[in-house]
Amino acid sequence: MEPIVRTRDLRKVFRRPQRRPGVAGALRALFSPAFAETVAVSDVSMEIAAGELIGYLGPNGAGKSTTIKMLTGILVPTSGVVEVAGLIPWRRRTENARNIGVVFGQRSQLYWDLPLRESFELLRAIYDIPRARYRVNLDEFIDILEMGEFLDTPVRQLSLGQRMRGDFAAALLHDPRVVYLDEPTIGLDVVAKEAIREFILRINQQRGTTVLLTTHDLADVERLCRRIVIIDRGRLLYDGTIEDLKDAYGRTRRLVVEFAEPQDHVVVEGATLEHTDRCTARFAFDRGAISADRLITALVARYAVRDVAIEEPDLEGIIRRIYLEGISPSEVLRP
Amino acid sequence: MGHSLRLDAYLQFASKAFQREATYRVEVFSEIGSLVLRVYLIRALWTALYAHNRAPANLPLHTIITYSTVALLLSLIFEVDGTRQLREKIRLGTIATDLLKPISIPGSLFSDGVGTTLLHAMSVIPSLLIALLLVHVDRPPDLAAGAAFAAAFALGYAVNFLLNFCMNCVAFWTLETFALQLVVRWLSDLLSGAIIPLTLFPGALQGVLLHLPFAAVYSTPLFVYLGLIHGQQIGRALLEQIAWLIVFSGLGAWIWSRGRDRVVVQGG
């Protein structure tokens, strides 16, 4: 199937005037300005199939927002190819706008002084949504997002959770084919987060809307996405499933053992003892070298064991390692 | 990047602006008192000035009071600057979210300004009626002059919008336009005929001022209203307004596209 979002060697370099200190510096800058170049996005190639729900991850300043801005058409790439639903976004910004929806967790798109209902009505006119379609969508969103109570409250008086729900409805009223969600759960409490996550899943599954989700909350990602794309310093580090990432970067598992009686000295072949307090012990082992099954069998043969637990590597730990240590491009996995 | 002209969206912008402004009622009511006071001051000032000076030809006292009162009403409309939002949008970066919509931003600003103006115009009606008890305001000499005034007013409104729009677009480069606007505002108050009719300026200066874009905003509609220009002169004045309209449309479109590209290429 043709991908709905496609980038090839996408690159964005910002050229900004550089300030020199002092009055003399300011004067010099006036006559011979110096420019500093920052590579925000470098050779990013990815394809997203229609109906996918992808997590787009990276530390602050990695180039996520710059990529999204190029996908929305409000930023022109320095070089490379970008295509969304068959259009080049920056060439056909307004046409592209009809195909996409955007939610920024940090910035509302609703009209501050107007009740939510009025904002929606304005969006109906802006996107020229057929009345019948508008009614169906709005009723559905009011129902799922439980917006009935605050539909007539001015946006500036809404809580963050209510405002976010309003923003989601606003971004989806015109049935966009692709939705970009930029940190949509930031600052929300656990209940509100879960409501938003369920809504994202729902529109992805029931409407087949393609979703590109940017977040720092890995719980969002684990709950919603199968595939993730990781970017850092403008470069693509990983593109594949969460499973594969865990397999590749999280080979170390942990085995926590509770003994029936205190042990002075515990040793098991193929595992490293990390911690012990006589009654319990924690081992680290490489899942590629030894299976948990064999390890437990070996332990039980030698000691009286009351309980065992296996700790899987967690995504957060893996991602932290990747952000801190990076991955060389040759290691980049592709699905 | 062609925008399909969907009137509905722009009417909505105007109507939403109207509703938004209506929520700030205190402001609306405070304007009413101020209008009555200002009309009273106009009468007092010109009456005192005329009592001790010889009245200029074609500007008898009742004409100058009419001039100043109508100018005051025009200023209530022209001072509503729908494009001021643009400066805020650029400064705060929210212009990016507007660019995500399939809509013309200048068009939406214009509609927003019209909506705001309508509310302000409506809110001054009661005070206008009170004010008219204080002063006698002449009517346009005939129906044709009245119609020409409506046209000159509409053109002046458009030129004023474009002037403001161009100025606020400067924020794309400087982020702040307050000082520039203050200076232009002073100049325009003085040179547009908003306070003093341009015919009271010395000959040579008058000749220049009458052909500046500022005159197209205030002076032209006012001269038409008072019957200070007739027949062909009206036609020429309207043509001049149209010329400024074209010039500033072009300039506005150019600055806007440069400014937008700046955001779009440099990321604001």
Side-chain angles (χ1 to χ4, degrees):
Chain A
M1 194 164 67
E2 269 289 285
I4 193 160
V5 175
R6 193 167 73 87
T7 75
R8 169 102 5 233
D9 303 325
L10 191 62
R11 188 177 173 82
K12 180 69 196 180
V13 181
F14 291 114
R15 189 165 173 266
R16 296 217 157 91
Q18 214 170 19
R19 299 246 172 146
R20 298 190 184 95
V23 177
L27 276 176
R28 261 183 67 200
L30 205 59
F31 295 106
S32 63
F35 291 94
E37 292 202 336
T38 337
V39 181
V41 170
S42 168
D43 308 317
V44 167
S45 302
M46 62 172 163
E47 292 189 347
I48 303 175
E52 271 195 280
L53 200 172
I54 286 194
Y56 192 42
L57 310 179
N60 294 322
K64 301 187 298 288
S65 294
T66 305
T67 315
I68 289 186
K69 281 180 181 166
M70 288 193 276
L71 292 173
T72 57
I74 58 174
L75 205 53
V76 181
T78 307
S79 64
V81 176
V82 54
E83 229 179 78
V84 177
L87 297 175
I88 297 171
W90 58 272
R91 282 231 176 97
R92 319 261 290 270
R93 181 175 57 80
T94 47
E95 272 168 275
N96 183 58
R98 293 177 177 283
N99 291 328
I100 64 166
V102 188
V103 174
F104 295 109
Q106 315 245 41
R107 178 179 290 171
S108 181
Q109 297 186 69
L110 301 165
Y111 294 84
W112 206 238
D113 296 306
L114 296 179
L116 209 45
R117 194 193 292 280
E118 302 287 337
S119 271
F120 293 151
E121 184 58 32
L122 187 54
L123 288 167
R124 188 200 61 71
I126 289 176
Y127 288 99
D128 207 11
I129 309 167
R131 294 226 178 238
R133 186 70 208 145
Y134 171 74
R135 270 259 58 95
V136 169
N137 279 347
L138 187 59
D139 287 346
E140 187 185 333
F141 295 154
I142 290 173
D143 184 42
I144 315 172
L145 294 169
E146 294 170 18
M147 296 191 297
E149 287 168 31
F150 52 88
L151 214 49
D152 293 305
T153 312
V155 170
R156 68 187 132 82
Q157 290 171 16
L158 298 181
S159 73
L160 181 62
Q162 292 172 330
R163 202 213 77 201
M164 250 357 268
R165 285 183 267 167
D167 260 305
F168 262 88
L172 289 159
L173 275 174
H174 60 288
D175 293 319
R177 296 171 63 192
V178 185
V179 183
Y180 308 111
L181 307 175
D182 195 353
E183 300 190 43
T185 57
I186 196 162
L188 297 181
D189 65 52
V190 280
V191 178
K193 266 187 189 177
E194 190 48 33
I196 290 293
R197 286 175 191 149
E198 267 179 32
F199 185 71
I200 296 171
L201 263 187
R202 190 183 164 116
I203 54 143
N204 174 249
Q205 285 169 0
Q206 297 193 354
R207 294 172 171 244
T209 310
T210 309
V211 180
L212 185 70
L213 169 71
T214 292
T215 182
H216 289 300
D217 187 338
L218 293 169
D220 289 346
V221 178
E222 287 200 275
R223 171 92 163 73
L224 299 172
C225 312
R226 226 174 70 78
R227 178 178 160 202
I228 56 175
V229 173
I230 304 177
I231 182 178
D232 191 14
R233 291 182 206 99
R235 301 230 318 258
L236 205 73
L237 291 186
Y238 179 80
D239 180 346
T241 62
I242 295 178
E243 288 308 304
D244 287 346
L245 186 73
K246 282 184 177 172
D247 283 349
Y249 295 97
R251 297 171 73 91
T252 307
R253 285 175 160 187
R254 285 182 175 77
L255 183 70
V256 181
V257 187
E258 196 184 316
F259 299 109
E261 54 214 40
Q263 302 292 334
D264 281 330
H265 186 66
V266 281
V267 187
V268 181
E269 298 275 305
T272 323
L273 182 68
E274 283 193 336
H275 174 80
T276 178
D277 64 357
R278 286 167 52 89
C279 281
T280 61
R282 193 173 75 225
F283 300 94
F285 66 99
D286 184 337
R287 59 193 274 181
I290 187 167
S291 73
D293 172 43
R294 276 185 49 203
L295 203 58
I296 293 167
T297 312
L299 264 168
V300 173
R302 201 172 302 168
Y303 308 100
V305 171
R306 182 179 285 161
D307 196 13
V308 292
I310 298 167
E311 287 177 1
E312 289 287 332
D314 70 325
L315 186 60
E316 188 159 340
I318 297 169
I319 300 276
R320 194 187 310 126
R321 235 186 75 202
I322 292 176
Y323 286 0
L324 286 173
E325 298 163 17
I327 310 173
S328 72
S330 60
E331 282 178 274
V332 170
L333 299 172
R334 295 201 173 273
Chain B
M1 250 183 273
H3 306 290
S4 58
L5 189 77
R6 278 165 299 104
L7 208 54
D8 185 20
Y10 297 100
L11 287 175
Q12 285 276 345
F13 274 113
S15 126
K16 297 304 178 242
F18 186 90
Q19 291 172 38
R20 181 191 63 219
E21 295 300 313
T23 57
Y24 299 106
R25 257 171 298 180
V26 179
E27 218 173 297
V28 170
F29 285 116
S30 70
E31 258 177 29
I32 294 177
S34 125
L35 179 71
V36 175
L37 183 67
R38 283 157 83 183
V39 169
Y40 175 77
L41 286 176
I42 283 172
R43 190 186 72 165
L45 177 75
W46 287 112
T47 309
L49 275 172
Y50 269 60
H52 302 287
N53 295 287
R54 196 165 47 84
N58 75 26
L59 273 183
L61 184 60
H62 69 93
T63 306
I64 191 81
I65 288 177
T66 301
Y67 183 98
S68 302
T69 309
V70 177
L72 175 63
L73 296 176
L74 286 184
S75 78
L76 291 179
I77 288 171
F78 290 155
E79 275 170 18
V80 174
D81 180 5
T83 65
R84 200 174 44 203
Q85 293 177 35
L86 183 62
R87 188 178 67 206
E88 287 302 295
K89 284 172 189 288
I90 294 168
R91 214 164 53 81
L92 301 174
T94 53
I95 187 89
T97 47
D98 289 319
L99 287 168
L100 289 174
K101 306 245 158 62
I103 200 101
S104 147
I105 293 173
S108 69
L109 291 172
F110 182 75
S111 311
D112 192 283
V114 171
T116 311
T117 307
L118 277 178
L119 182 90
H120 283 245
M122 276 181 59
S123 66
V124 297
I125 286 175
S127 49
L128 180 61
L129 294 175
I130 300 170
L132 288 181
L133 295 175
L134 290 174
V135 293
H136 172 79
V137 171
D138 298 342
R139 268 178 296 201
D142 50 47
L143 206 62
F149 167 70
F153 165 72
L155 286 167
Y157 186 87
V159 172
N160 183 56
F161 167 80
L162 290 168
L163 276 171
N164 284 329
F165 177 70
C166 290
M167 253 189 314
N168 280 300
C169 276
V170 173
F172 277 119
W173 289 268
T174 61
L175 291 186
E176 201 33 89
T177 61
F178 185 68
L180 173 72
Q181 286 194 309
L182 211 59
V183 172
V184 175
R185 176 76 168 277
W186 283 337
L187 282 176
S188 128
D189 277 350
L190 195 64
L191 308 181
S192 65
I195 300 169
I196 304 161
L198 294 181
T199 47
L200 294 181
F201 282 85
L205 186 57
Q206 193 188 122
V208 175
L209 293 184
L210 282 171
H211 300 289
L212 289 183
F214 301 123
V217 178
Y218 278 98
S219 201
T220 305
L222 287 163
F223 281 8
V224 174
Y225 182 97
L226 289 169
L228 293 174
I229 52 177
H230 319 270
Q232 283 198 333
Q233 287 173 306
I234 294 181
R236 219 174 302 135
L238 291 179
L239 279 178
E240 214 167 295
Q241 281 185 304
I242 292 170
W244 283 124
L245 187 68
I246 292 167
V247 168
F248 283 104
S249 299
L251 185 65
W254 182 73
I255 301 184
W256 167 252
S257 74
R258 293 293 302 266
R260 192 195 51 210
D261 286 353
R262 203 183 142 84
V263 169
V264 162
V265 175
Q266 274 304 316

